Amino acid sequence: MKTIDELLAEGVAGKRVFVRADLNVPLDGTTITDDGRIRAVRPTVAQLAAGGARVVVASHLGRPKGAPDPAFSLAPAAARLGELLGAEVAFATDTVGESARATVDALADGQVAVIENLRFNAGETSKDDAERGAFADQLAQLADVYVGDGFGAVHRKHASVFDLPARLPHAAGGLIATEVGVLKKLTEDVARPYAVVLGGAKVSDKLGVIDHLLEKADRILIGGGMAYTFLKAKGLEVGTSLLQEDQVPAVRGYLKRAEELGVEFVLPVDVLVAGEFPDLKTKAPANPTTVAADAIPADQEGLDIGPETRKLYAAKLADAATVFWNGPMGVFEHPDYAEGTKAVAQALVDSPAFSVVGGGDSAAAVRILGFDENAFGHISTGGGASLEYLEGKTLPGLAALED
């Protein structure tokens, strides 16, 4: 896999370099609420621009249905990238049409443009190889060289991720190189004890990584909405909490296998419950009640880990040498249910472990809750991509960058 340093050494001055970034940032209208992914790709874009390249940045945002939708425009991300670069960034209002061609043609050496959301074209995400390839052919006309740096999308077999690199000379950007290097530390010659913290809503999203990490981790801590499927598998009442009943047999199997392998599974011992889900817009006081994990009322919903669980999890992380964390411990967007996620983040800050925050909501939570990103070993830009890498899967976007 060619690196960006090798590409720069060969010279990029005057070349149109297509950078597949991940600018899939959360928006409140047109306001970016977390610019972490834009900041993560900025160094690669800046390096290429400084080398005299004519940089064409492309990305998806959200899930538009293969057609333009103003709610998913990349215009706010383009403006923010310009602010971070300290230079004007041109913006094309389409992906491969007249605006994109004219915008790219107008670039001078060292200038940067962003084209509109790739998913405004159905060919980007098509499962039909020919349709996807046709869109990749159109994208290829905008560039001379391809740089893959959208780690959050490398697990997708999409036109700009998988098909386009086959049509152009290609290299991996600095962000992808960093992400892969970090993930290798979680899978090869891991420093022990190795603790994994998994949260988020659905246990089904994490079954693959649990299956793979049972062979590698020393202990696995469970929180978030997925914890209630684990508690149910232990025979406990979970009230109206988020529950994937169909996954209970699989979870029982993992708990049994963990016991056989000597892997410690740590589940909540107490939780915060309420009769209804909190209002995340007004953030009105929710007045939750703390109950033992084996005493959740039938009409109550678990929304965060409780104070005893926070202490327990902090203790289980204190002596770890390596920690991977993916998924919040509760509804962290509401202040009454943020303490569990905050406690895990603080435990990682306090621990001497090499800590990796595995993208998605966890990365957003770290920033939203006011933690210094530099206090963690690494904050990933790709939740799904990180999980699939840890599952041992081949990621199409990484395979496409191999020579």
Side-chain angles (χ1 to χ4, degrees):
M1 188 182 291
K2 180 183 284 186
T3 67
I4 191 172
D5 290 338
E6 292 171 321
L7 181 65
L8 289 166
E10 293 172 357
V12 294
K15 293 181 179 179
R16 299 170 303 162
V17 180
F18 187 104
V19 178
R20 199 339 177 154
D22 180 9
L23 308 180
N24 185 29
V25 293
L27 293 172
D28 182 2
T30 59
T31 301
I32 297 169
T33 57
D34 178 13
D35 68 354
R37 285 175 169 162
I38 305 175
R39 286 187 287 111
V41 80
R42 186 204 66 80
T44 290
V45 175
Q47 277 184 287
L48 290 166
R54 302 176 182 192
V55 187
V56 182
V57 180
S59 176
H60 70 287
L61 191 153
R63 296 180 182 272
K65 301 184 183 300
D69 183 338
F72 298 105
S73 175
L74 278 175
R80 180 58 180 149
L81 179 60
E83 292 172 357
L84 292 169
L85 291 170
E88 183 178 353
V89 169
F91 181 66
T93 56
D94 56 27
T95 56
V96 291
E98 183 178 338
S99 178
R101 292 191 298 271
T103 301
V104 173
D105 288 345
L107 289 175
D109 292 3
Q111 291 186 329
V112 179
V114 173
I115 62 174
E116 187 53 286
N117 191 337
L118 292 164
R119 291 186 182 174
F120 285 1
N121 189 304
E124 169 67 3
T125 59
S126 176
K127 297 187 184 304
D128 181 83
D129 291 348
E131 184 179 9
R132 223 176 43 246
F135 183 49
D137 287 338
Q138 292 178 290
L139 291 172
Q141 294 174 17
L142 300 175
D144 305 304
V145 180
Y146 177 94
V147 171
D149 214 30
F151 181 74
V154 293
H155 59 314
R156 306 294 189 192
K157 192 177 181 181
H158 290 170
S160 66
V161 176
F162 179 74
D163 302 273
L164 185 55
R167 289 157 169 77
L168 295 169
H170 50 264
L175 174 60
I176 277 186
T178 297
E179 293 273 14
V180 172
V182 165
L183 289 171
K184 284 183 176 179
K185 291 185 179 182
L186 299 178
T187 54
E188 303 171 12
D189 298 322
V190 182
R192 297 186 179 281
Y194 180 16
V196 175
V197 186
L198 297 175
K202 295 181 178 179
V203 69
S204 56
D205 292 343
K206 305 292 196 313
L207 287 181
V209 75
I210 291 171
D211 182 60
H212 203 67
L213 289 176
L214 275 174
E215 304 290 340
K216 299 181 182 295
D218 297 300
R219 61 185 72 125
I220 299 176
L221 287 60
I222 302 293
M226 63 183 285
Y228 302 100
T229 301
F230 276 85
L231 293 174
K232 185 72 172 181
K234 300 277 281 185
L236 302 182
E237 167 67 55
V238 297
T240 60
S241 305
L242 188 61
L243 172 65
Q244 288 187 282
E245 189 82 51
D246 62 323
Q247 299 298 332
V248 169
V251 168
R252 284 199 185 110
Y254 285 127
L255 290 171
K256 183 175 184 297
R257 190 167 147 222
E259 186 176 359
E260 293 168 351
L261 292 169
V263 176
E264 184 182 10
F265 250 106
V266 189
L267 302 179
V269 295
D270 61 346
V271 296
L272 268 63
V273 299
E276 59 183 7
F277 198 82
D279 188 326
L280 299 183
K281 285 193 175 293
T282 66
K283 294 185 171 52
N287 302 314
T289 303
T290 300
V291 300
D294 61 358
I296 299 174
D299 62 347
Q300 299 281 296
E301 177 178 10
L303 296 163
D304 193 15
I305 58 173
E308 293 305 313
T309 304
R310 292 172 217 153
K311 293 176 189 175
L312 172 64
Y313 284 14
K316 294 293 182 181
L317 297 172
D319 68 340
T322 304
V323 180
F324 173 69
W325 172 31
N326 181 281
M329 297 293 99
V331 188
F332 73 91
E333 300 91 340
H334 191 287
D336 287 352
Y337 302 105
E339 292 304 315
T341 301
K342 191 181 296 184
V344 168
Q346 187 62 54
L348 296 192
V349 170
D350 294 340
S351 169
F354 174 67
S355 56
V356 178
V357 181
D361 287 342
S362 313
V366 163
R367 289 186 279 265
I368 290 169
L369 296 175
F371 287 90
D372 180 357
E373 293 181 47
N374 295 320
F376 303 87
H378 179 70
I379 296 181
S380 179
T381 57
S386 297
L387 289 175
E388 290 199 15
Y389 188 99
L390 293 177
E391 287 177 42
K393 292 184 177 179
T394 296
L395 306 187
L398 296 184
L401 295 175
E402 298 288 352
D403 293 325

